[in-house]
Amino acid sequence: MAAEARIRDQDIDFFLARVQRDPLSAADYARLAGLYLQRARQTADNGDLIRAEENARHSLRLRTGRNAASFGVLASSLLSQHRFDEAMLVAQHLVDADSTSVPARGLLAETQYEVGRYPEASRTLGTLAMYRTDPSVAPRLARWAELHGRPEEALRLLRNALDDATHRHGTPKEQLAWYHLRLGDLALRNGHLSEATAELRGGLEISPQDYRLLGLEARLEAARHRWREAIGFGEQSIRYALDPATLGVVSEAYAAIGDSGKAADYYRTMETVVLHQPGPFHRAWSLFLLDHDGDVPRVLANVEEEIRSRRDIYGYDLLAWALHQSGRDSEAKEAMGGALSLGTRDAMLYYHAGMIAHGLGDTGSARRYLRAALETNRYWHPVQPDRARAVLDSLDR
């Protein structure tokens, strides 16, 4: 992967020189935009995301016809910046220009379910059922199955796609490592730690410096309460990219071993990174603040603003949890209904629903949801499973 990164950086320099010599080449600007997007995905560099967007837009100013590549990079860069409505408009333009394009329809479906337009996403994905192993379709169908409470189907789709990609000549190593990342994440979120370990090892054999794989290893070790191992993987990860979620894991791990100074250092770093990112608050940061009683009014105001345009289930979950932490459990229950509307099997959602029900004095619902959380994944969070057990014990007494 290091060799591929060097080649990619050399390619960026090459195309930068080309557009300086020929500033009217839409194709060269499109290629440069794609390279910046590729590097941004590998390094979490928001500057590269902006450069990808700018070069794609410049290419499109030069030529819109026969320039689907620039539209695709533009939509993907907007998605990565969490500018979902803008990304959806670009993806819709791609589909309108060529309704037979499988990648364009896959991209449109992703933007649709990211903003919570689930009926539209369902129709778009329905046109892609025969392309289940296509690399632009399989991960999106897997995510759709996962959102609808079918993790086993999601697992099959991703495994088949990985097998297909492994045997396809010329598949980039980055893409193979990404499939292992998705499979590891899916296994971890369903409480299958040994499967998650195997997938992450497979991914790290391909890409030892992938910050996302290392960050997920940190989460996995934190789930096992192996705090020093979590710190080790987390600190490896953030050497390559300052990912807010990983910074939060390391902060919690240091707090768990009693090093409040280090925990505070990573908390402050996480805050600095998030506040310099484009778009709305990073959701991992918002959850971290809510779980640690940090600036709840600011988080709630931000979530209420975001939910106006992005009405997905995790947006409703975040709104519900912010309302709960604000002492407004009746409103939180209503928002939680939106979070649970697709039947997603997610221990975090069940935990939030159970604690909100507990706050309302609805002991039956609290028991049902908290038990569902522990049955779904007793490792979903370093601390919350113990809290769920404590509440269940108190209710049983």
Side-chain angles (χ1 to χ4, degrees), residues 131-349:
Y131 305 101
R132 297 173 74 82
T133 60
D134 188 289
S136 65
V137 174
R140 285 147 176 161
L141 287 175
R143 182 60 178 157
W144 187 248
E146 192 181 359
L147 287 171
H148 285 79
R150 304 192 301 272
E152 296 84 3
E153 179 184 338
L155 184 67
R156 285 195 302 274
L157 284 162
L158 289 170
R159 285 203 185 284
N160 290 339
L162 173 58
D163 289 343
D164 185 70
T166 301
H167 293 98
R168 190 188 312 118
H169 178 70
T171 301
K173 290 183 179 180
E174 174 202 1
Q175 187 176 354
L176 297 176
W178 182 85
Y179 278 117
H180 285 289
L181 174 74
R182 269 295 277 127
L183 285 162
D185 180 59
L186 183 59
L188 177 56
R189 283 189 289 108
N190 285 277
H192 306 312
L193 302 195
S194 59
E195 292 178 26
T197 299
E199 292 297 343
L200 293 178
R201 285 177 181 168
L204 288 169
E205 285 178 9
I206 298 168
S207 180
Q209 298 177 348
D210 190 309
Y211 79 94
R212 298 162 299 185
L213 288 162
L214 292 166
L216 190 56
E217 280 275 18
R219 279 177 47 205
L220 176 60
E221 296 301 339
R224 290 171 165 146
H225 289 190
R226 293 166 53 174
W227 304 115
R228 295 195 182 277
E229 288 83 354
I231 290 167
F233 280 114
E235 290 184 337
Q236 283 186 66
S237 173
I238 61 180
R239 280 203 294 269
Y240 301 111
L242 291 173
D243 175 59
T246 304
L247 289 164
V249 171
V250 177
S251 177
E252 288 190 323
Y254 271 117
I257 64 173
D259 192 336
S260 57
K262 282 280 193 179
D265 287 345
Y266 278 97
Y267 175 92
R268 285 190 292 270
T269 303
M270 184 184 185
E271 181 177 36
T272 300
V273 170
V274 169
L275 294 179
H276 283 83
Q277 286 188 341
F281 278 4
H282 195 290
R283 285 181 172 177
W285 164 246
S286 296
L287 283 170
F288 188 93
L289 284 174
L290 293 174
D291 291 339
H292 294 82
D293 300 319
D295 206 350
V296 174
R298 181 170 61 149
V299 175
L300 178 58
N302 182 75
V303 175
E304 288 177 326
E305 176 65 27
E306 186 185 13
I307 202 71
R308 294 176 184 175
S309 58
R310 191 183 179 195
R311 296 174 175 270
D312 66 314
I313 62 166
Y314 287 100
Y316 278 112
D317 172 67
L318 191 53
L319 175 61
W321 198 232
L323 288 166
H324 168 73
Q325 298 292 56
S326 303
R328 296 159 60 181
D329 279 323
S330 295
E331 295 167 82
K333 179 183 178 181
E334 182 178 353
M336 203 67 223
L340 298 170
S341 61
L342 296 183
T344 311
R345 284 165 54 185
D346 188 319
M348 181 184 72
L349 299 183

Side-chain angles (χ1 to χ4, degrees), residues 103-126:
R105 282 181 283 160
L107 182 61
L108 177 61
E110 181 178 357
T111 63
Q112 288 168 334
Y113 62 63
E114 284 289 354
V115 298
R117 296 193 177 186
Y118 297 121
E120 295 170 43
S122 179
R123 288 193 292 272
T124 304
L125 287 169

Side-chain angles (χ1 to χ4, degrees), residues 1 24 32 51 72 100 102 113 153 251 264-265 283 322 325 380 389 397:
M1 290 293 290
L24 299 180
L32 185 57
R51 284 183 277 273
T100 66
V102 171
Y113 62 63
E153 179 184 338
S251 177
D265 287 345
R283 285 181 172 177
Q325 298 292 56
W380 82 85
R389 292 184 191 96
R397 286 197 299 271

Side-chain angles (χ1 to χ4, degrees), residues 11 40 56 101 131 175 196 223 322 350:
D11 287 345
S101 171
Y131 305 101
Q175 187 176 354
Y350 294 142

